[in-house]
Amino acid sequence: MKETLLEVDNLEVTFHTKEGNSKIIRGVSFELHEKETLALVGESGSGKSVTSKSLIGLLPGNARITGGMIRYRGEDIYQKSKKEWEAFRGKEIGMIFQDPMTALNPSMTVEKQIVESIRNHQKMSGKDAREHTAALLEMVGIPEPWQSMKKYPYQFSGGQRQRICIALTLAGEPRILIADECTTALDTSIQSQILQLLKEIQEKTGTSILFITHDLGVVAHMADRVAVMYAGRIVEIGDSLEVFYHSQHPYTWGLLEAMPTTKRKEDRLFTIPGSPPNLAEEIIGDPFAPRNLYALDRDAVEEPPLFPVTGTHMAATWLLAEGAPKADPPEEIRRRYEIYNSLKGGNNETASA
């Protein structure tokens, strides 16, 4: 049985502003297991990055964890001191940021930055640290690592800089990698290479990955499990097959419809109507209700809990409540249901079947 490395239990994060308090994360719960990739997916503003920064003590000064627990290997970590966070961050949980040019110091060589990180977290001589730096650069696909480590970040392409950021994160040998929109700024071909690199690193090192993205398509062939976030909470979570082919939440349906596909007949991509809610304002009912074509009267007054679909799959929609009317999902979702049923031997019922 795989070890549970990270447990997030009913996490709440509140931002304090001149206009008042805004609860940005509203009861988020999930687990990350050994050697697992969990994708946290949702539109900009859904709370993905705030959640990830909570896990390594990098919330901005006006933000506080106001509820819940974060446990790493059974230890409550969210009340660590600044000094304790500095020792923990990078060594146990490392983060690959979206923009490598802001993550890397432009005035320092690649060698100096990675060696410094290695020696901060490991007892290693300068000579050994330089050799380890070259090995890390070779692992992430930087050509001629001994020559490349003498260069500055601006001397590399965007894709190479992101590879260097990954090497820098690996310097502390963390058990968990958080990849926060780390492929967003890259073109499609380089994006695919970075995703493949992360999979290879996971196979070699046994690290777990929390992958943060707004694009379901990016993690279609990478994630073991997927958690869909909306308005500061998880609205659907399950293994990849369940979320991609047996999704139950109308928001997930919208994200899946927005994915490009060769089977699509229309010339234009689908977009979810409307915008996410302003979390600085009081939310009554289901935050997705104003954008939800399948909204019930109950959605206007009461936020749904997470209903179990299977032992590994849950979704927060009143469509799963006892006595709810049966919804007729979009054509693309029905097609995915057919694939799911064929993969499962045709013995599964869906919420809309």
Side-chain angles (χ1 to χ4, degrees):
M1 186 174 180
K2 289 186 176 181
E3 179 187 0
T4 298
L5 295 181
L6 186 69
E7 297 172 84
V8 179
D9 184 15
N10 203 30
L11 179 68
E12 294 183 354
V13 177
T14 301
F15 278 65
H16 306 281
T17 67
K18 293 180 180 178
E19 289 74 30
N21 295 335
S22 301
K23 191 177 289 186
I24 302 300
I25 304 301
R26 305 179 306 115
V28 165
S29 299
F30 62 86
E31 295 180 348
L32 180 64
H33 305 114
E34 182 184 15
K35 300 180 182 179
E36 178 186 43
T37 298
L38 171 65
L40 207 54
V41 181
E43 294 168 291
S44 296
S46 61
K48 309 181 304 298
S49 290
V50 174
T51 298
S52 67
K53 288 182 172 73
S54 301
L55 306 179
I56 54 172
L58 285 181
L59 287 172
N62 66 330
R64 296 286 184 275
I65 292 176
T66 51
M69 288 281 188
I70 302 172
R71 298 183 187 89
Y72 174 75
R73 303 184 73 182
E75 176 195 2
D76 181 1
I77 64 171
Y78 90 93
Q79 292 183 335
K80 285 182 178 293
S81 66
K82 183 178 179 181
K83 186 175 181 180
E84 288 171 332
W85 272 121
E86 288 174 356
F88 178 86
R89 189 187 303 125
K91 177 63 177 173
E92 303 296 340
I93 303 178
M95 180 174 279
I96 307 165
F97 293 95
Q98 178 177 342
D99 185 358
M101 280 306 285
T102 58
L104 295 170
N105 188 329
S107 66
M108 293 171 63
T109 63
V110 168
E111 175 185 355
K112 188 171 182 179
Q113 293 182 63
I114 297 179
V115 165
E116 183 178 278
S117 181
I118 290 171
R119 300 194 73 183
N120 280 342
H121 296 293
Q122 301 182 57
K123 293 180 180 179
M124 196 176 288
S125 68
K127 178 177 179 295
D128 288 344
R130 287 191 293 275
E131 290 179 353
H132 191 41
T133 295
L136 286 172
L137 291 175
E138 184 175 23
M139 179 189 288
V140 300
I142 297 296
E144 301 181 331
W146 282 101
Q147 288 74 34
S148 295
M149 61 197 276
K150 304 294 183 183
K151 297 179 181 179
Y152 291 85
Y154 73 89
Q155 295 176 281
F156 297 89
S157 68
Q160 288 177 322
R161 285 196 292 267
Q162 194 57 281
R163 289 174 183 268
I164 292 167
C165 280
I166 294 171
L168 183 63
T169 305
L170 292 173
E173 298 185 347
R175 296 285 300 273
I176 295 173
L177 285 179
I178 299 176
D180 188 3
E181 298 276 12
C182 70
T183 61
T184 299
L186 306 174
D187 64 46
T188 304
S189 61
I190 303 300
Q191 185 180 86
S192 177
Q193 292 174 24
I194 296 297
L195 293 175
Q196 182 60 37
L197 173 62
L198 289 173
K199 289 180 70 173
E200 291 171 359
I201 288 170
Q202 187 174 49
E203 290 171 2
K204 290 177 182 177
T205 65
T207 188
S208 301
I209 298 175
L210 180 61
F211 198 95
I212 313 294
T213 181
H214 64 276
D215 186 352
L216 262 175
V218 168
V219 295
H221 304 292
M222 181 176 178
D224 300 300
R225 290 188 301 130
V226 178
V228 180
M229 284 194 73
Y230 187 79
R233 69 185 295 238
I234 290 174
V235 296
E236 185 155 8
I237 186 168
D239 67 41
S240 290
L241 183 65
E242 290 169 328
V243 172
F244 279 97
Y245 293 99
H246 193 221
S247 57
Q248 301 297 307
H249 199 287
Y251 179 60
T252 312
W253 296 348
L255 294 177
L256 289 168
E257 277 199 285
M259 288 171 56
T261 171
T262 56
K263 296 184 179 294
R264 189 178 302 279
K265 298 177 182 178
E266 299 84 356
D267 293 330
R268 298 176 64 183
L269 283 176
F270 172 83
T271 57
I272 302 173
S275 303
N278 181 358
L279 295 179
E281 300 175 356
E282 183 183 5
I283 294 176
I284 299 173
D286 185 350
F288 188 60
R291 308 174 69 188
N292 185 2
L293 299 176
Y294 302 86
L296 306 176
D297 291 344
R298 194 172 184 178
D299 285 297
V301 295
E302 189 177 0
E303 190 166 18
L306 281 164
F307 290 96
V309 181
T310 69
T312 55
H313 185 190
M314 295 187 292
T317 170
W318 288 120
L319 294 174
L320 293 175
E322 186 177 350
K326 292 181 180 179
D328 184 21
E331 180 182 352
E332 168 63 17
I333 305 305
R334 294 198 301 272
R335 182 184 70 83
R336 289 173 178 271
Y337 282 177
E338 290 172 2
I339 295 172
Y340 180 85
N341 283 330
S342 66
L343 292 172
K344 293 291 186 178
N347 295 320
N348 291 276
E349 295 183 359
T350 67
S352 63

